Amino acid sequence: MVSLFPTPTVLVSLLASSVLLTAAAQEDAPPEPTEADYYELVSIDPQAGLTSALGDLALEVGGLCFLGDGSLLAATRRGEVWLVKDYATTPSYTLWADGLHEPLGLLPHNGWIYFAQRGELSRMRDSDADGRADEFEVVNEAWSISGNYHEYAFGPCLDGEGNFWVTLNRPFGSGAFEVADFRGWAAKITPDGKICEMVASGLRSPAGIGRSPWGELFYTDNQGEWCPANKLSLLQEGKFYGHPWGIESSDLPMSKVPYPIPTRDFEERFRAGELIPRVTSEIKSLVLPAIWFPYNKLGRSASGFDWDESKGDFGPFAGQLFVGDQYEASINRVALEQVEGIWQGAAFPFRHQLASGVIRARFEKGAEANGLVVGMSDRGWTSVGSRRDGLQRISWTGKVPFEIHSIEARPDGFRLHLTKACDAQLVTTEGFRMTSYTYEFHEAYGSDEMDNARLEIQSATVSKDGKTVDLVVGTAQLLDAGEDAEALPAPALREGYVHELHADCLRDASSGAALLHGDSYYTLNRIPSVK
Amino acid sequence: MKRPLSRLLKSPSLYLAAVIVVASCAPSEPELASVGAPVDADVRAGEALVAKYGCTNCHDADATRRERLAGQAGPDLSRVGERLTWPGLVTQIIEPRPRGNGEFLCGANTSPEDAVVLANWIRGEHYVDTESVAVLPSEVEMGRVLFDSIGCVACHRGDDSKGGLLVDSFEGDYTIDSLARLLGAGREPGGKTWHPSFGLDASEAKSLASFVLVGDRAGFERSVGLRVEYYEPDSFDGGEPDWDRLEVVRSGVAVAIDLSLAEREDSFGLRFSGEVFLESPGSYEFYLTSDDGSTFDLDGRRVIDHGGLHGPDEKSATLELEAGFHPIEVTMFEQSGGEALSLEFALNGLERLPLGDLGLFYSSAIYTAPAQLSMPRLKPGTVIGADDGQQNTTDQDAKLMFEQYGCANCHTATAGERQTLRAFRPIEELASNAGCLLAEVPHELGADTLVPRFAFHDQRRITADLELKQLNAYMDFESKPAGALEEKLFVDRELARLNCLACHTRDGAGGPPDSLEHKFGQAYDGDDLGAEGHLPPTLTGVGAKLTPEWLVKVIAEGSRGAGSRPYVQVQMPSFQVDVAADLARALEAVDVPLWAASHPSREEPLFSEEIASSGHVLVGTGGFACIACHLVDGKNSLGLPMIDLASTTTRLRYPWFREWLEHPTEMRKGTRMASFWSEGTSARADIFEGDADRQIQAIWSYLSLGVGLPLPAGLVTDPGAYDLLPLEEPIYHACFLRDASARGMAVGFPERKHLAFDFQHLRLHSLWYGDFVNAAATWDGRAGGLIQPEGTGVLLLPEGLAVARLEDQSTTWPQNKRRPDGWRLLGHKRSPEGIPTFRYALGETIVEETLQPVFGARGHFLRKFRISGIGHDALFLRLGSAKNISFHEDTIRLQGTGILQGEPDGEVTLRLVGRNLKPAPPVTDLGAGATRFLLTEQGSTIEAQAIAGDLDEVLVPILPNAQGVFEIEVGLQW
């Protein structure tokens, strides 16, 4: 009898042979590791049937904070705040507040939840503990808005003295009301809320603000006019960050930043554009970013970020910085170092395929915590994510990926620190491809990578334990001179340039796998003079 | 050419109207000609036809019958030149030409030459434009759909696709525009023609006219290019525009898909439609780039959806396509900033080219109404143009002709009101088969046999033989019914005349025949609702069901003005207001006594807020869940689209409602309406002990709040619509607030009364009731739009703070547009029920303003101020300012413009809660033109003192009580 269906015994043998076949294939070429092998994504979904003011819950997360009891608060761009209990296990959502004006940050502090709204710094609390916020207080309302959609306020972020910092977007187009001062500035508000000073200018779309474990504040800004690529910068009082939108406000009493140039004709002066490294000599107050995120290589819109202070619970990158990207629905990783007092460092791709555009990324705080919680929304700005919004948690699976852990600038090149030992046998100078480039500072949207050079690796030396590779950079040749022109020599390392590295030859000494992410981008602001 | 007119004018017999009588043949022997004989059905029907066709306009009746036979006038001809083409007018004067089975027309029975004279005179200065019109296939198709769906087929019942409309007989009478105007005329209910009005908008009317005049016979031809429509709305909200609802600024033909037709840089839209011709089959990749949103449809399917507000991004899609013509539509809109549009394609991965490089086409047909007349009655080869007949005649001659032919008996013309100027033989003297009832009516001029020609014998009218039989029966009946017309007979006659029973049943008669029922579709694309979803409601007992006002409104305004069944596809047309009023009155007179005879009497319940709030519970999901099927004040139900409950007490009489709720299936077989009090037991025994009487009264009380009523619990919002519905608890919505600031807070309450507070200017901005706000401006796309009250009865508070420091009680109230120096926002608190208290301060003085809605009709809030930290400054609270303030017993009335949005005579009542307001203070002439009333407290009594002011205001000095606090609570009602 011929059956169309295999009998159970036949089925078992078929399965067994396929397993064997797979195993055989593995011996030939091990499957390439994926990000998900090391960092798992879990959606923190509301239970079915939960609705907000407008039917299905739209979880367009703009602000996130943890309450320390396994629950978190998520503020949405719709002005709702959701209390999510047991979010890492069995999430339950309840509406904790509504009617906030596009809140883009949440900060628990002194028994209150502080948050920036479009028009004020505020705080709220649930005074009668009935599960719903009932007191909403103005902390400070010193800044103004004209009623343009792009007039977002991010934060607050607490500095070491208890001051609140808020970054204010510049508007795009007109608003329905009077033109507002101090847009594109960072505001600093005293702990009692009484005094607001405008402490930094030239911001464009400063979607992330955060305080480092050592106390300094950083912020991310988005590519556009006067902002040639996405960037992460040290946020300092009295400094200018490149965008002239609100610099006329420099003359007002609240300003702590002078007009950027003595001649007071900023846009005229830079109409023709200028390469980034040269701008600093003209604008003394200009802060160059610690990290550039080259467009399309490391996303398109840098957003919220946080440091991994877990001392290893999140894997091998303790102390490093994780930066969201709204367009790419991804997280990039940053290893900063300070050279002669200047922050710089390397940025790496870290985790892709989040559900939607990343707005906030916050590390859990607390004993058991080892996850990075990500709040998302793609409303108004497209994201490659498959969903419109949501909350996800990234946790470490416990397996260590083979990655460049960090890059250290050296007088003659770079030292790569690896998470695992590499196979020294396979390391060659040709196995590294390195280019460098900078950007043009101008009004047009973004900048091409300018003044490109190809760098020759003179030597690549692997340490005994296989976890460190020293690259000495030999000559550099300019690539932008045109096809017909001969490549021109350039200095090997250039300050104010991104140094892009593709480490093709690095292989995991134990598995033979390539780097999980072979590309890295080092922003070189200072070439160290001594090792 | 010799003018027959001169012959006419010279004929003395025509000047002597009295001698012109209708010749009659020898009367046949009447069969029922005995006095007191029962009136048979044909006679009754014949009598109704005498009235319907306005016979008494020419044939007077004696005093006992005049009223019961009174008929309608002929159409008003004063602007007929805007409806009919010149040839159409001339031929209609010569001979009757029915346009449909039921329709009836007369012809003046003139010679062609006199018809020309009359036509020129009647037409006057108004001409229809007979220029050719391009008709699009889509318009004809839309017309066909309308014809089949709105109810044309109920009257035009012929077998062909146009329901037996005798199109050939009037083809040249109209241009597309003039027929469209006629069909759309009823945007003002009634209209001036005999045709009922369906209130079609301009594009619907043009489509219907295109279908009727062009229809299937059109030879559609392709031309190069795409049809393009250009729009300039105030703004787009970022979602896909509802193109069909936007006003077309310009339309034309485009040869490329780009922005060259845009006339400004922001807020415009373009819609291209037509066909693309593909020479070869293959894999086509399309690339659509736009700033902002765009769409690309091909073969009726959405190929690329590139909607939303965005920069000049590209989106692409690949399709395997056959060679040949493919319908396409491309839309784009631009909100603000940069703009871009391009659509490219690449065939089989080859070079990218603009879509315009392929052949783009659109189809149209040309309709041309004839400008000249050529008809068989004229000598072969004779053509009469519009100018003929003008010579040698004066307006005076033509007017005389209009009167002598008898036209003036029925018609009003530009130069004269209708009046009987030519008398024919009285009704009582008429005989059957004679005069205008003859098959062949002589039309020789000058003969004393000259009578108008009617279409009684025209066999294209399927009712022709029947009507003749009935009219003849009436003429032959000697003891014609006399006396006042019984209401029931009037109803029957009107229902027949207006052809109501083509769609409706009444007392078992009427309704569409089975053969037509498939044309009575359901407009709701869900469950089949059965007869309730397809057919208009029965008219049995309708006079006892509907309120008199609603009955008139339904007849006079039809579905467009008074429709309550959006799920029924066929539309109720509208009729003249006086016709509606008479019919409604008669229906009530007939039906109400019948109802009373067979039902217990029911008193309409008195309203109370307490009873109404129980009704509120019963209607929601916590009660009988009426909202499972019924809309409430425009909000969708949870399922079916049944009649909006907010209209209940406007539409229905209470006794009918009471019966309907308890016994729906007895009243309407097959209804889906559920019964909640089966065998006297209520499904909600906890409310009023389950008593049906009291529960139904409670529902009625709640529904009597009408438009703007608090919405029942359990409604679900449509996420795409962004309408915020506070159902269980208040909703707070921070926003950019129109006419206020970028720091607005709108709070919506389940009581369906709402507020907006302006945090920038520290003032209550507005209070309103009905719908709350639409959050799209804050939540859709990049948003950044302005929020405004969506409801009705928007109470606008005066500019400036409610509290001010004044030098003294006479100081002018500060008119700051900005926040005055020193004031600051403290924030707000929310009670456990979500009631807000807004807090703001000046120095140590803290103002707390609480606003609480009150359940009930229209607008009602309690506004409470608590002011602490009062120093030594003279602080005042302003309770109101208005053009006119007056005191009425214990209330203060604010009146005038600027109080209620859009209502010049808006009025708001203030009531002091928990205090006695002394009667009106004496207001003498204070010399300032306005009065400031100062309210001062004397124990538990408030006294008002009137002093001169710049405008009428009510102020209260802020003085601390024993606890150092000032408190006052005011009720605002409007």
Side-chain angles (χ1 to χ4, degrees):
Chain A
M1 189 184 88
V2 179
S3 167
L4 285 174
F5 301 96
T7 60
T9 19
V10 177
L11 192 62
V12 167
S13 65
L14 280 174
L15 280 174
S17 58
S18 68
V19 167
L20 287 173
L21 282 171
T22 314
Q26 267 175 349
E27 265 172 48
D28 291 344
E32 287 299 317
T34 65
E35 291 173 347
D37 295 336
Y38 309 99
Y39 290 94
E40 191 179 28
L41 287 181
V42 175
S43 286
I44 306 170
D45 284 329
Q47 306 126 305
L50 185 68
T51 57
S52 71
L54 197 65
D56 297 336
L57 177 55
L59 207 59
E60 300 167 340
V61 179
L64 261 181
C65 69
F66 302 96
L67 301 180
D69 58 355
S71 63
L72 60 77
L73 289 177
T76 75
R77 295 172 63 199
R78 291 188 170 185
E80 294 167 333
V81 181
W82 292 88
L83 172 63
V84 190
K85 287 185 176 155
D86 303 317
Y87 67 88
T89 51
T90 51
S92 69
Y93 280 68
T94 47
L95 186 66
W96 194 74
D98 67 349
L100 279 56
H101 208 175
E102 200 116 9
L104 294 164
L106 290 177
L107 173 72
H109 183 57
N110 289 344
W112 293 78
I113 304 294
Y114 284 73
F115 59 103
Q117 304 190 72
R118 284 186 182 275
E120 63 184 57
L121 176 63
S122 325
R123 62 181 189 176
M124 59 186 165
R125 67 179 174 189
D126 172 11
S127 67
D128 60 2
D130 67 348
R132 192 65 75 94
D134 47 29
E135 290 185 10
F136 298 79
E137 291 191 352
V138 176
V139 177
N140 189 278
E141 50 173 346
W143 71 79
S144 55
I145 56 173
S146 67
N148 177 275
Y149 75 91
H150 207 254
E151 287 172 323
Y152 299 113
F154 298 93
C157 178
L158 215 51
D159 70 14
E161 288 144 15
N163 299 305
F164 302 99
W165 290 59
V166 175
T167 53
L168 304 172
N169 263 29
R170 62 150 294 190
F172 284 131
S174 58
F177 307 100
E178 287 169 58
V179 173
D181 296 323
F182 291 114
R183 301 306 312 190
W185 286 64
K188 187 178 93 172
I189 293 134
T190 50
D192 59 7
K194 290 221 163 87
I195 300 165
C196 172
E197 291 175 334
M198 292 296 172
V199 288
S201 65
L203 283 55
R204 181 180 175 276
S205 189
I209 179 169
R211 179 183 168 197
S212 62
W214 57 92
E216 284 180 311
L217 268 48
F218 286 79
Y219 93 99
T220 50
D221 211 335
N222 274 251
Q223 166 171 291
E225 53 323 323
W226 304 107
C227 189
N230 292 303
K231 64 189 188 184
L232 171 81
S233 306
L234 180 66
L235 185 57
Q236 289 173 287
E237 209 165 320
K239 296 294 188 184
F240 173 68
Y241 291 83
H243 202 298
W245 173 264
I247 51 175
E248 303 305 328
S249 300
S250 307
D251 300 335
L252 299 175
M254 273 201 295
S255 165
K256 295 294 157 196
V257 191
Y259 194 93
I261 54 174
T263 48
R264 302 186 70 90
D265 56 350
F266 189 94
E267 293 186 45
E268 193 54 39
R269 164 63 195 87
F270 293 103
R271 192 163 298 283
E274 184 83 275
L275 287 184
I276 282 288
R278 295 186 201 142
V279 182
T280 41
S281 60
E282 302 245 1
I283 312 175
K284 299 300 179 199
S285 57
L286 182 72
V287 177
L288 284 186
I291 298 288
W292 292 106
F293 299 97
Y295 199 65
N296 276 343
K297 296 172 177 171
L298 288 173
R300 287 192 192 180
S301 43
S303 56
F305 56 86
D306 203 0
W307 276 267
D308 172 11
E309 296 181 70
S310 70
K311 300 184 167 48
D313 291 339
F314 193 64
F317 308 114
Q320 293 189 5
L321 179 61
F322 293 79
V323 184
D325 190 88
Q326 196 273 338
Y327 170 81
E328 193 72 32
S330 65
I331 303 285
N332 293 313
R333 177 169 62 86
V334 168
L336 289 173
E337 63 170 348
Q338 206 171 22
V339 176
E340 293 165 14
I342 305 291
W343 284 107
Q344 57 187 37
F348 312 85
F350 173 69
R351 187 67 171 94
H352 296 81
Q353 292 173 322
L354 279 98
S356 188
V358 177
I359 305 283
R360 284 293 153 259
R362 300 295 303 273
F363 276 101
E364 295 160 348
K365 308 288 190 263
E368 303 290 314
N370 67 344
L372 178 63
V373 176
V374 177
M376 298 166 288
S377 163
D378 73 350
R379 171 153 68 80
W381 285 269
T382 310
S383 149
V384 301
S386 58
R387 285 165 56 159
R388 306 296 316 276
D389 45 60
L391 261 181
Q392 284 185 307
R393 180 169 182 269
I394 304 177
S395 59
W396 182 43
T397 61
K399 286 163 69 177
V400 174
F402 181 51
E403 290 272 56
I404 300 175
H405 172 273
S406 52
I407 299 177
E408 204 181 312
R410 293 169 67 78
D412 55 358
F414 297 95
R415 171 169 289 172
L416 314 183
H417 297 280
L418 308 179
T419 55
K420 294 157 91 173
C422 69
D423 184 343
Q425 303 292 323
L426 300 174
V427 173
T428 63
T429 53
E430 298 78 32
F432 297 90
R433 291 175 289 133
M434 196 167 214
T435 54
S436 67
Y437 43 82
T438 188
Y439 297 101
E440 189 171 74
F441 182 67
H442 57 206
E443 187 174 5
Y445 186 98
S447 163
D448 290 340
E449 290 165 2
M450 307 290 290
D451 210 19
N452 281 276
R454 185 169 55 237
L455 278 61
E456 182 210 10
I457 305 297
Q458 200 173 65
S459 70
T461 313
V462 182
S463 65
K464 273 186 191 157
D465 63 2
K467 290 177 79 171
T468 306
V469 181
D470 282 345
L471 301 180
V472 175
V473 178
T475 56
Q477 287 183 318
L478 285 182
L479 300 174
D480 293 339
E483 285 179 20
D484 298 332
E486 300 216 349
L488 300 168
L493 299 179
R494 295 184 290 181
E495 291 185 346
Y497 282 64
V498 175
H499 290 68
E500 177 176 334
L501 175 70
H502 295 263
D504 304 330
C505 63
L506 294 181
R507 288 286 182 276
D508 186 329
S510 55
S511 72
L515 289 167
L516 186 58
H517 300 100
D519 52 333
S520 54
Y521 306 85
Y522 190 95
T523 300
L524 186 64
N525 289 324
R526 280 284 185 282
I527 303 168
S529 49
V530 288
K531 290 183 190 180
Chain B
M1 177 177 163
K2 198 183 174 197
R3 301 273 160 205
L5 171 76
S6 50
R7 200 149 57 84
L8 171 72
L9 294 176
K10 280 170 193 157
S11 159
S13 62
L14 271 172
Y15 287 100
L16 302 168
V19 305
I20 301 175
V21 289
V22 178
S24 59
C25 297
S28 59
E29 209 56 43
E31 290 167 29
L32 298 162
S34 60
V35 176
V39 180
D40 96 341
D42 279 351
V43 174
R44 282 267 183 239
E47 186 190 36
L49 288 171
V50 167
K52 172 177 176 180
Y53 293 138
C55 297
T56 57
N57 290 335
C58 290
H59 304 283
D60 198 8
D62 72 28
T64 62
R65 297 189 182 87
R66 198 169 290 151
E67 201 186 328
R68 66 187 287 129
L69 292 178
Q72 61 191 342
D76 185 337
L77 300 181
S78 50
R79 295 178 83 87
V80 70
E82 292 176 358
R83 302 200 292 270
L84 291 173
T85 62
W86 189 82
L89 188 53
V90 172
T91 51
Q92 199 157 295
I93 290 168
I94 296 170
E95 60 175 11
R97 290 186 306 151
R99 274 130 210 233
N101 286 323
E103 202 186 13
F104 173 85
L105 284 172
C106 89
N109 198 15
T110 71
S111 68
E113 292 80 1
D114 283 356
V116 168
V117 173
L118 275 172
N120 281 338
W121 179 74
I122 292 170
R123 185 173 67 164
E125 299 303 313
H126 303 292
Y127 295 79
V128 295
D129 183 357
T130 51
E131 274 190 21
S132 302
V133 175
V135 176
L136 302 176
S138 57
E139 290 172 322
V140 171
E141 187 51 33
M142 180 178 169
R144 184 196 316 280
V145 169
L146 282 171
F147 191 87
D148 275 350
S149 63
I150 64 173
C152 302
V153 293
C155 292
H156 304 291
R157 287 184 175 184
D159 295 332
D160 61 12
S161 69
K162 289 175 190 165
L165 260 178
L166 304 170
V167 175
D168 292 343
S169 84
F170 63 93
E171 182 187 356
D173 291 2
Y174 297 99
T175 64
I176 287 186
D177 281 352
S178 77
L179 184 57
R181 232 179 355 258
L182 186 147
L183 292 169
R187 284 188 94 56
E188 319 109 58
K192 282 199 168 179
T193 71
W194 284 10
H195 196 274
S197 164
F198 286 83
L200 304 175
D201 66 26
S203 108
E204 289 169 331
K206 189 194 170 197
S207 296
L208 194 51
S210 301
F211 168 66
V212 167
L213 293 179
V214 179
D216 305 326
R217 295 176 297 111
F220 287 102
E221 290 185 2
R222 287 195 173 90
S223 312
V224 171
L226 297 175
R227 288 280 308 176
V228 58
E229 287 159 354
Y230 173 66
Y231 306 82
E232 289 189 347
D234 292 343
S235 72
F236 292 97
D237 62 13
E240 185 173 355
D242 188 350
W243 295 104
D244 291 330
R245 285 176 183 272
L246 295 181
E247 185 193 349
V248 177
V249 174
R250 228 154 44 85
S251 63
V253 176
V255 290
I257 297 170
D258 58 25
L259 295 179
S260 53
L261 284 153
E263 290 172 359
R264 59 187 196 186
E265 292 182 346
D266 290 335
S267 272
F268 68 83
L270 286 164
R271 178 154 72 153
F272 301 85
S273 59
E275 293 171 292
V276 61
F277 181 74
L278 307 180
E279 277 182 28
S280 44
S283 169
Y284 284 82
E285 180 151 23
F286 296 99
Y287 308 89
L288 180 61
T289 301
S290 70
D291 176 350
D292 290 294
S294 60
T295 62
F296 172 44
D297 291 5
L298 186 140
D299 292 338
R301 292 206 319 263
R302 177 66 34 102
V303 176
I304 299 176
D305 184 350
H306 199 356
L309 299 176
H310 52 74
D313 303 336
E314 177 182 290
K315 272 200 172 182
S316 66
T318 306
L319 291 177
E320 293 293 329
L321 294 173
E322 300 293 323
F325 288 97
H326 296 265
I328 59 169
E329 180 170 288
V330 178
T331 71
M332 80 81 65
F333 71 89
E334 158 63 11
Q335 168 79 296
S336 64
E339 58 275 342
L341 174 66
S342 74
L343 180 55
E344 298 178 314
F345 76 100
L347 171 59
N348 298 329
L350 300 174
E351 187 187 359
R352 273 170 71 152
L353 297 166
L355 196 72
D357 285 11
L358 297 166
L360 300 178
F361 300 91
Y362 72 99
S363 296
S364 64
I366 304 298
Y367 180 80
T368 311
Q372 294 204 315
L373 172 71
S374 171
M375 54 179 299
R377 279 177 161 246
L378 299 178
K379 219 164 31 178
T382 308
V383 170
I384 297 177
D387 294 336
D388 296 327
Q390 293 285 42
Q391 302 152 14
N392 304 326
T393 60
T394 62
D395 281 356
Q396 202 53 43
D397 297 336
K399 182 162 189 256
L400 191 60
M401 208 184 271
F402 188 74
E403 293 165 4
Q404 294 302 340
Y405 273 118
C407 309
N409 286 5
C410 289
H411 300 283
T412 293
T414 311
E417 283 292 306
R418 175 172 80 100
Q419 50 181 311
T420 305
L421 292 170
R422 184 180 160 199
F424 292 78
R425 189 181 276 185
I427 284 282
E428 288 82 5
E429 295 176 19
L430 296 178
S432 62
N433 296 309
C436 51
L437 295 179
L438 284 171
E440 278 299 322
V441 176
H443 63 93
E444 274 308 307
L445 288 159
D448 62 0
T449 54
L450 177 66
V451 293
R453 289 157 54 83
F454 296 97
F456 290 127
H457 289 271
D458 194 319
Q459 289 302 312
R460 290 176 294 187
R461 302 172 62 240
I462 56 176
T463 53
D465 289 345
L466 178 66
E467 288 191 358
L468 265 175
K469 180 169 166 253
Q470 293 166 337
L471 280 167
N472 282 324
Y474 179 75
M475 296 308 165
D476 287 341
F477 192 63
E478 285 216 338
S479 51
K480 293 180 169 55
L485 189 65
E486 305 85 334
E487 298 285 7
K488 183 174 182 315
L489 203 53
F490 177 77
V491 166
D492 291 348
R493 201 186 272 180
E494 280 299 87
L495 295 183
R497 181 175 75 86
L498 303 175
N499 211 15
C500 305
L501 300 185
C503 294
H504 299 275
T505 60
R506 183 168 164 88
D507 299 328
D514 292 349
S515 61
L516 273 181
E517 276 201 358
H518 70 281
K519 295 266 188 184
F520 284 71
Q522 185 175 288
Y524 168 60
D525 188 23
D527 295 6
D528 193 315
L529 303 173
E532 285 173 326
H534 294 262
L535 299 177
T538 182
L539 300 185
T540 306
V542 68
K545 171 187 176 184
L546 299 180
T547 61
E549 301 77 20
W550 189 258
L551 196 48
V552 174
K553 190 173 163 71
V554 169
I555 302 170
E557 299 182 18
S559 300
R560 298 273 168 147
S564 52
R565 293 178 170 76
Y567 44 87
V568 175
Q569 203 171 56
V570 64
Q571 299 283 298
M572 169 76 183
S574 58
F575 299 88
Q576 286 95 330
V577 175
D578 51 347
V579 169
D582 289 345
L583 180 55
R585 197 162 45 240
L587 282 166
E588 184 184 3
V590 173
D591 291 347
V592 169
L594 280 175
W595 175 275
S598 55
H599 296 90
S601 79
R602 308 277 192 192
E603 284 294 312
E604 181 171 345
L606 293 174
F607 177 83
S608 91
E609 278 165 10
E610 194 192 340
I611 293 176
S613 63
S614 295
H616 180 230
V617 173
L618 288 170
V619 169
T621 46
F624 301 129
C626 307
I627 58 165
C629 299
H630 286 280
L631 282 75
V632 182
D633 205 7
K635 304 290 171 272
N636 284 336
S637 79
L638 305 176
L640 302 180
M642 309 314 281
I643 299 181
D644 192 325
L645 296 180
S647 70
T648 302
T649 61
T650 312
R651 289 174 48 245
L652 301 178
R653 290 164 177 264
Y654 181 70
W656 190 93
F657 175 82
R658 171 71 184 73
E659 192 69 14
W660 171 243
L661 255 64
E662 195 169 357
H663 305 296
T665 42
E666 284 94 323
M667 288 176 74
R668 193 185 299 161
K669 278 202 179 94
T671 184
R672 289 186 163 230
M673 174 74 180
S675 170
F676 298 101
W677 296 272
S678 56
E679 293 158 18
T681 337
S682 167
R684 274 300 297 266
D686 55 324
I687 295 178
F688 301 132
E689 290 93 38
D691 182 62
D693 241 1
R694 293 175 67 197
Q695 289 190 343
I696 294 173
Q697 284 176 10
I699 293 173
W700 179 268
S701 281
Y702 160 58
L703 296 180
S704 73
L705 295 172
V707 171
L709 82 183
L711 294 174
L715 282 181
V716 173
T717 42
D718 168 10
Y722 290 97
D723 283 322
L724 298 185
L725 297 190
L727 293 175
E728 317 274 341
E729 58 183 14
I731 292 177
Y732 283 70
H733 185 75
C735 58
F736 298 157
L737 185 62
R738 188 180 294 281
D739 299 328
S741 77
R743 298 177 67 196
M745 175 68 95
V747 188
F749 299 91
E751 287 80 0
R752 210 123 181 264
K753 305 179 198 324
H754 320 294
L755 67 86
F757 200 91
D758 179 351
F759 284 149
Q760 185 59 40
H761 300 108
L762 303 180
R763 72 184 190 96
L764 182 62
H765 172 263
S766 49
L767 300 169
W768 69 98
Y769 57 90
D771 285 349
F772 176 38
V773 296
N774 184 288
T778 322
W779 288 357
D780 188 20
R782 294 186 183 186
L786 300 172
I787 288 290
Q788 62 197 9
E790 293 296 325
T792 44
V794 182
L795 168 57
L796 298 170
L797 281 294
E799 260 176 24
L801 273 71
V803 177
R805 186 191 288 153
L806 302 182
E807 288 280 309
D808 59 50
Q809 60 184 38
S810 315
T811 313
T812 302
W813 197 264
Q815 294 299 306
N816 301 356
K817 294 234 172 199
R818 291 168 162 272
R819 185 193 289 188
D821 286 345
W823 282 96
R824 63 192 194 277
L825 177 68
L826 298 178
H828 71 277
K829 290 182 177 177
R830 306 179 188 180
S831 77
E833 295 75 34
I835 303 301
T837 298
F838 299 103
R839 305 174 66 243
Y840 42 100
L842 175 66
E844 299 298 309
T845 306
I846 294 175
V847 181
E848 295 184 298
E849 183 177 354
T850 303
L851 289 143
Q852 179 159 15
V854 181
F855 183 93
R858 299 170 60 88
H860 193 177
F861 267 90
L862 295 178
R863 186 185 192 192
K864 183 177 178 182
F865 287 93
R866 182 179 191 279
I867 300 168
S868 58
I870 304 164
H872 299 293
D873 292 329
L875 284 176
F876 291 85
L877 172 69
R878 183 170 62 168
L879 291 182
S881 83
K883 193 151 178 269
N884 179 25
I885 294 181
S886 54
F887 284 64
H888 300 260
E889 294 176 1
D890 61 343
T891 62
I892 305 169
R893 198 170 291 171
L894 279 60
Q895 286 169 300
T897 48
I899 298 177
L900 293 185
Q901 204 170 55
E903 290 181 37
D905 301 319
E907 187 176 307
V908 176
T909 302
L910 299 185
R911 188 172 43 83
L912 300 175
V913 179
R915 320 221 182 161
N916 301 316
L917 183 66
K918 272 206 165 177
V923 179
T924 50
D925 183 5
L926 300 164
T931 312
R932 172 177 276 181
F933 296 98
L934 286 168
L935 304 187
T936 49
E937 193 152 15
Q938 313 287 334
S940 65
T941 304
I942 301 272
E943 266 186 27
Q945 175 197 352
I947 63 170
D950 299 323
L951 71 168
D952 279 12
E953 288 172 311
V954 182
L955 260 53
V956 189
I958 297 171
L959 301 168
N961 60 15
Q963 288 76 44
V965 173
F966 168 87
E967 282 182 299
I968 193 167
E969 187 170 13
V970 184
L972 289 96
Q973 243 179 311
W974 68 101

